[in-house]
């Protein structure tokens, strides 16, 4: 696990100094954060990186997990899809299953932080344990721009009890006002981030990349188009295959689809089998399931080996896979959904699309124009460096924690009591 | 003994208001009624997020009017508002209102933003913090200027003037009042910081200070 000083060559001394300045103002406060899985998926990845770094800054932060069985996670997966706007019938029985496990967690988890950050719907009911002085924040990583209304109403009864909510993109913002009291839940925009020093994102030697390609029988001399994502309908892996087939008419290339399995994702096997069926006998399509033990280094290698990285999602929370690819200066073709437009300015730091045909066109443009591809990649990397690395994410969280104790639009945290310069 | 310059930094957290606009009338309503921190955010966001990319940033209102509503003429009018000429957010807000109202008086049919491309009103909460840097003379000031974060530079140049409603940016104020460097202070105050990238601005100010140091050394 990297230490803060190791980020100085990446982001600069002054950025790290600012984190310490903020952390000093949180002395004596305890931060507790809760989600549903320790491994797999973007949330666990961020917390694995963020919690130790915030602790190193001198802020007391700890991370807890809720417990749940297969039925519970099957239901929360349906919640996930329904919140993303995908047709799912949310039954009363599902809500009962959700509440039963949730109440078990409510009764068995100790919630004693000064500030408590709850991630996504799975642990949302823990708010029932709210003590009067504690500040509770619900962190929503999902695209809730068009949620299933029944489910949203159900969750809203809990959301309204929080002091604040965090969303990943402006379009996810909701009206969160109590019609009777007029009280509004504060909403914050905090984009997720990647860790530039993690195994998944650090520089790696060409030999490592070649070894991974060899392991999966991928031809290193033929352009690689890849989508690195869980096998999930919302990532539209079948749509990626269709786009690849349109490209293949003109350009001899390969398609790599690579994903791992998160412990809270019961849909994986079904989607993977549909993808394999669509891939058919084409030897240039490589649907891969990455062994969790080697996931990070192999994903890193596959992204770096790619001529184009695709993210053809139908819905997205933020799409950290896009962030990872841009950080590696890869040209990216991605759907204009969720947080992706925050990361890509079309034609400047990547290509935004809305259809299979548009995705295919973007891939062809990049494969046929190496100079253009290089420019997109370089601009993308610079944008990620300035806005979507873990150091910016930590700064936003520290600022968020401070909102619990300071009101107003411009807040002077000077020990001198004023801006010091007349 | 002159007062040292204490370098501060300004760090902002973005807040979502839950308010959105689908047409110009909605946008006008938002500009009229939302807090000043919203107007400030939508006219300055680009500077920090894309500070490396280009100078002359467009404000969010102009971008949305042009790109989504495709009202190019109005978009250009809003983009061309010279923020440097405004002493406070209140006046800037009034100018935007005036321009949009004039446009609406023409009675053109209101264009609607396609679904998913609505304007989302946001605002920012800014924390001012002293850094550990201070300068007692021009030489020290030049040295520290190269070390502080872009947030610090941004705070002293943009936030100090428009948001804290000071007469001029912090650098010019200190150079004039504490060091008696009126000419240098005026030179920096005359720069239009909105037409620089932040690093470009840092280099320009540094060069002006170096020039003055050399001039003094004779």
């Amino acid at each position: 696990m990297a230490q803060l000083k190791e980020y100085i060559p990446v982001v600069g001394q002054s950025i790290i100094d600012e984190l310490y300045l903020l952390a000093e103002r949180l002395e004596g406060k305890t931060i507790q954060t809760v989600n549903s899985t320790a491994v797999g998926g973007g949330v666990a990845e961020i917390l694995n990186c963020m919690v130790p770094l915030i602790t190193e800054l001198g802020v007391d932060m700890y991370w807890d997990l809720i417990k749940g069985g297969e039925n519970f996670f099957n239901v929360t997966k349906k919640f996930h899809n329904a919140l993303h706007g995908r047709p799912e019938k949310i039954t009363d029985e599902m809500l009962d299953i959700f509440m039963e496990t949730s109440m078990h967690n409510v009764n068995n988890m100790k919630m004693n932080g000064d500030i408590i950050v709850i991630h996504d719907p799975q642990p949302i009911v823990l708010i029932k344990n709210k003590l009067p002085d504690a500040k509770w924040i619900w962190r929503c990583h999902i695209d809730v721009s068009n949620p299933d209304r029944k489910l949203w109403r159900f969750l809203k009864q809990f959301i309204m009890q929080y002091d604040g909510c965090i969303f990943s993109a402006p379009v996810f913002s909701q009206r969160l006002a109590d019609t009777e009291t007029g009280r509004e839940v504060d909403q914050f925009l905090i984009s997720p981030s990647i860790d530039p020093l993690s195994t998944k994102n650090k520089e790696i030697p060409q030999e490592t990349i070649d070894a991974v390609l060899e392991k999966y029988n991928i031809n290193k001399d033929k352009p690689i188009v890849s989508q690195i994502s869980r096998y999930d309908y919302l990532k539209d892996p079948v749509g990626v295959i269709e786009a690849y087939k349109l490209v293949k008419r003109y350009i001899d290339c390969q398609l790599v689809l690579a994903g791992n399995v998160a412990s809270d994702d019961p849909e994986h096997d079904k989607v993977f089998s549909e993808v394999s069926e669509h891939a058919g006998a084409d030897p240039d399509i490589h649907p891969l399931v990455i062994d969790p033990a080697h996931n990070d280094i192999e994903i890193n290698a596959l992204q770096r080996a790619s001529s184009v990285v695709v993210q053809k999602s139908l819905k997205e929370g933020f799409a950290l896979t896009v962030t990872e690819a841009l950080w590696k200066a890869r040209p990216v073709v991605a759907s204009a959904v969720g947080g992706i437009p925050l990361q890509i300015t079309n034609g400047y730091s990547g290509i935004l699309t809305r259809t299979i045909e548009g995705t295919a066109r973007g891939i062809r443009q990049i494969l046929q124009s190496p100079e253009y591809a290089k420019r997109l990649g370089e601009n993308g990397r610079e944008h990620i460096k300035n806005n979507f690395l873990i150091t910016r994410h930590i700064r936003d969280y520290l600022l968020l924690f401070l909102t619990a104790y300071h009101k107003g639009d411009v807040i002077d945290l000077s020990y001198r009591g004023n801006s010091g310069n007349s | 003994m002159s007062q040292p310059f204490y370098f501060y930094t300004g760090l902002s957290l973005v807040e979502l208001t839950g308010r959105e606009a689908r047409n110009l009338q909605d946008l006008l309503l938002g500009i009229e009624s939302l807090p000043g921190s919203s107007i400030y955010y939508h006219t300055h966001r680009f500077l920090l997020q894309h500070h490396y990319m280009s100078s002359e940033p467009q404000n969010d209102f102009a971008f949305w009017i042009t790109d989504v509503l495709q009202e190019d003429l109005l978009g250009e009018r809003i983009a061309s508002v010279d923020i440097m000429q405004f002493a406070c957010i209140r006046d800037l807000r009034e100018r935007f209102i005036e321009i949009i109202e004039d446009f609406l008086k023409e009675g053109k049919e209101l264009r609607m933003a396609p679904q998913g491309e609505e304007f989302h009103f946001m605002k920012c909460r800014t924390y001012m913090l002293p850094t550990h840097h201070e300068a007692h003379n021009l030489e020290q000031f030049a040295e520290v200027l190269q070390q502080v974060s872009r947030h610090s530079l941004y705070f002293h140049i943009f936030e100090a003037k428009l948001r804290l409603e000071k007469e001029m940016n912090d650098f010019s104020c200190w150079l004039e009042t504490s060091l008696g460097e009126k000419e240098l202070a005026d030179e920096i105050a005359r720069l239009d910081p909105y037409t620089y990238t932040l690093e470009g601005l840092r280099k320009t100010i540094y060069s002006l200070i170096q020039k003055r140091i050399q001039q003094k050394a004779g």
Side-chain angles (χ1 to χ4, degrees):
Chain A
M1 187 63 65
Q3 291 185 309
L4 280 163
K5 64 180 178 196
E6 294 171 64
Y7 292 86
I8 294 170
V10 183
V11 297
Q13 178 75 54
S14 60
I15 297 293
I16 303 300
D17 288 347
E18 286 176 345
L19 297 182
Y20 279 102
L21 290 175
L22 289 171
E24 278 173 26
R25 272 76 181 171
L26 288 161
E27 199 181 330
K29 304 294 180 198
T30 300
I31 319 294
Q32 182 176 11
T33 191
V34 183
N35 79 320
S36 63
T37 177
V39 286
V43 179
E45 233 169 77
I46 288 169
L47 291 176
N48 269 308
C49 174
M50 182 183 279
V51 175
L53 291 175
I54 290 185
T55 306
E56 191 189 336
L57 285 165
V59 178
D60 183 13
M61 182 171 190
Y62 60 98
W63 173 14
D64 286 321
L65 298 173
I66 55 160
K67 289 184 180 146
E70 197 182 337
N71 281 348
F72 176 76
F73 286 122
N74 279 330
V75 166
T76 58
K77 179 67 187 181
K78 288 192 187 301
F79 279 15
H80 181 89
N81 290 339
L83 288 171
H84 270 300
R86 206 175 141 212
E88 285 281 1
K89 182 150 177 58
I90 302 298
T91 64
D92 291 343
E93 190 194 350
M94 287 177 192
L95 301 183
D96 290 343
I97 291 170
F98 177 75
M99 283 309 294
E100 190 185 336
T101 301
S102 294
M103 287 314 295
H104 182 78
N105 284 308
V106 166
N107 293 327
N108 289 285
M109 288 183 70
K110 205 167 180 183
M111 307 303 296
N112 49 8
D114 296 304
I115 298 168
I116 291 165
V117 185
I118 301 293
H119 295 264
D120 281 340
Q122 298 94 329
I124 198 168
V125 183
L126 289 176
I127 188 72
K128 282 181 175 287
N129 277 337
K130 189 177 193 297
L131 296 171
D133 290 336
K135 301 291 176 188
W136 284 61
I137 306 288
W138 184 55
R139 203 309 175 212
C140 178
H141 295 269
I142 300 169
D143 174 349
V144 287
S145 52
N146 184 27
D148 176 277
R149 296 322 300 180
K150 177 180 177 182
L151 178 59
W152 184 253
R153 270 197 306 276
F154 170 75
L155 293 175
K156 200 172 169 185
Q157 64 179 307
F158 303 111
I159 295 168
M160 290 306 297
Q161 296 175 52
Y162 282 77
D163 296 288
C165 291
I166 309 171
F167 295 103
S168 299
V171 69
F172 305 161
S173 175
Q174 301 281 334
R175 282 264 182 176
L176 294 175
D178 187 313
T179 44
E180 282 174 24
T181 63
R183 173 186 167 264
E184 288 193 33
V185 179
D186 290 338
Q187 299 180 57
F188 302 95
L189 175 67
I190 298 185
S191 303
S193 64
I194 56 163
D195 177 6
L197 303 181
S198 68
T199 308
K200 203 192 249 186
N201 294 307
K202 68 182 183 188
E203 297 282 341
I204 50 172
Q206 187 61 43
E207 301 84 74
T208 309
I209 298 172
D210 292 346
V212 172
L213 296 182
E214 199 177 326
K215 173 179 172 182
Y216 290 111
N217 295 317
I218 299 166
N219 181 352
K220 71 173 184 174
D221 299 319
K222 194 184 279 191
I224 297 168
V225 178
S226 69
Q227 175 161 297
I228 314 290
S229 265
R230 287 196 289 187
Y231 288 96
D232 181 324
Y233 290 112
L234 295 174
K235 310 293 181 190
D236 197 18
V238 171
V240 179
I241 294 174
E242 294 305 314
Y244 155 83
K245 285 178 180 170
L246 295 177
V247 174
K248 187 82 172 178
R249 287 178 187 168
Y250 303 97
I251 303 167
D252 188 20
C253 58
Q254 314 169 82
L255 174 65
V256 174
L257 294 164
N260 60 10
V261 194
S263 61
D264 60 350
D265 184 4
E267 209 171 58
H268 166 274
D269 292 349
K270 191 161 170 263
V271 181
F272 182 73
S273 116
E274 284 178 30
V275 165
S276 302
E277 196 179 308
H278 267 80
D282 186 339
D284 280 335
I285 302 181
H286 304 269
L288 312 176
V289 177
I290 307 292
D291 176 356
H294 311 292
N295 178 70
D296 289 359
I297 192 73
E298 293 190 355
I299 295 296
N300 190 341
L302 291 171
Q303 284 171 329
R304 286 181 192 277
S306 299
S307 304
V308 188
V309 174
V310 176
Q311 189 64 53
K312 212 211 138 307
S313 302
L314 303 173
K315 287 277 182 179
E316 266 299 345
F318 187 75
L320 283 170
T321 47
V322 168
T323 327
E324 291 160 10
L326 291 172
W327 174 245
K328 295 174 182 91
R330 297 293 84 204
V332 175
V333 177
S335 304
V337 295
I340 293 176
L342 295 176
Q343 303 185 61
I344 292 178
T345 303
N346 189 32
Y348 181 80
S349 51
I351 295 178
L352 292 176
T353 63
R354 290 169 179 79
T355 59
I356 289 172
E357 293 76 12
T359 303
R361 185 171 172 274
I363 296 169
R364 287 209 317 267
Q365 269 185 297
I366 286 173
L367 291 179
Q368 285 167 341
S369 314
E371 279 306 311
Y372 178 53
K374 188 165 179 275
R375 200 165 63 244
L376 292 181
E378 284 168 356
N379 289 341
R381 180 178 166 90
E382 192 63 20
H383 188 53
I384 299 306
K385 180 184 166 186
N386 288 301
N387 297 291
F388 301 114
L389 295 186
I390 187 71
T391 42
R392 190 278 310 153
H393 203 174
I394 290 173
R395 183 176 71 231
D396 280 354
Y397 265 90
L398 297 176
L399 290 168
L400 172 79
F401 301 153
L402 287 167
T403 63
Y405 307 103
H406 303 275
K407 299 293 170 207
D409 287 338
V410 182
I411 298 138
D412 188 352
L413 293 180
S414 167
Y415 292 132
R416 298 186 188 101
N418 59 49
S419 74
N421 298 296
S422 56
Chain B
M1 187 69 181
S2 61
Q3 180 81 2
F5 187 86
Y6 298 109
F7 283 85
Y8 274 62
T9 190
L11 301 173
S12 295
L13 183 65
V14 181
E15 293 189 57
L16 300 161
T17 65
R19 292 268 304 268
E20 62 182 38
R22 290 206 64 197
N23 57 36
L24 272 180
Q25 199 68 56
D26 295 344
L27 186 74
L28 180 62
L29 197 64
I31 291 174
E32 283 172 337
S33 59
L34 282 161
S37 59
S38 180
I39 308 295
Y40 181 80
Y41 175 77
H42 289 298
T43 49
H44 289 74
R45 175 187 71 85
F46 198 88
L47 281 163
L48 270 174
Q49 286 181 3
H50 298 271
H51 68 94
Y52 60 91
M53 197 159 123
S54 65
S55 55
E56 199 77 59
Q58 280 209 331
N59 64 64
D60 288 344
F61 304 130
F63 185 81
W64 186 73
I65 290 168
T66 307
D67 263 46
V68 177
L69 298 185
Q70 299 186 345
E71 295 284 9
D72 294 355
L73 184 68
L74 177 64
E76 188 175 317
R77 281 187 188 141
I78 295 284
S80 307
V81 170
D82 182 0
I83 301 176
M84 277 297 283
Q85 297 305 312
F86 293 85
C88 62
I89 302 281
R90 213 167 31 256
D91 294 348
L92 182 61
R93 181 206 302 269
E94 287 307 316
R95 181 66 189 132
F96 287 139
I97 291 172
E98 192 179 80
I99 293 172
I100 297 173
E101 279 181 344
D102 281 350
F103 184 85
L104 288 173
K105 273 183 205 155
E106 292 170 17
K108 280 176 68 180
E109 194 179 331
L110 283 180
R111 291 186 183 168
M112 301 298 283
Q115 197 175 5
E117 296 191 45
E118 299 84 359
F119 187 92
H120 295 272
F121 287 99
M122 293 177 258
K123 57 183 182 170
C124 60
R125 195 178 297 199
T126 302
Y127 293 86
M128 301 161 43
L129 298 104
T131 68
H132 300 304
H133 294 291
E134 59 184 62
H136 294 258
N137 53 46
L138 269 188
E139 288 77 7
Q140 284 176 1
F141 188 85
E143 193 187 327
V144 175
L145 183 63
Q146 296 191 92
Q147 296 167 15
V148 294
S149 73
R150 61 180 189 274
H151 304 113
S152 174
L153 178 70
Y154 176 85
F155 173 78
H156 289 298
I157 295 287
F158 295 94
E159 303 241 16
K161 185 169 178 292
L162 192 63
R163 223 165 169 204
L164 302 181
E165 301 186 12
K166 295 184 182 177
E167 271 184 42
M168 60 177 119
N169 71 74
D170 281 342
F171 295 165
S172 294
C173 184
W174 178 74
L175 289 166
E176 183 177 336
T177 56
S178 285
L179 297 192
E181 293 282 354
K182 182 164 179 4
E183 207 172 310
L184 177 59
D186 286 347
E187 272 187 288
I188 293 172
R190 271 199 306 274
L191 295 173
D192 177 0
Y194 292 91
T195 55
Y196 291 84
T197 62
L198 281 174
E199 287 311 315
L201 183 63
R202 190 199 301 263
K203 277 185 196 150
T204 304
I205 297 173
Y206 179 78
S207 302
L208 290 172
I209 295 167
Q210 281 300 341
K211 200 172 110 192
R212 176 62 184 143
I213 290 170
Q214 283 163 12
Q215 201 179 46
K216 282 175 80 175

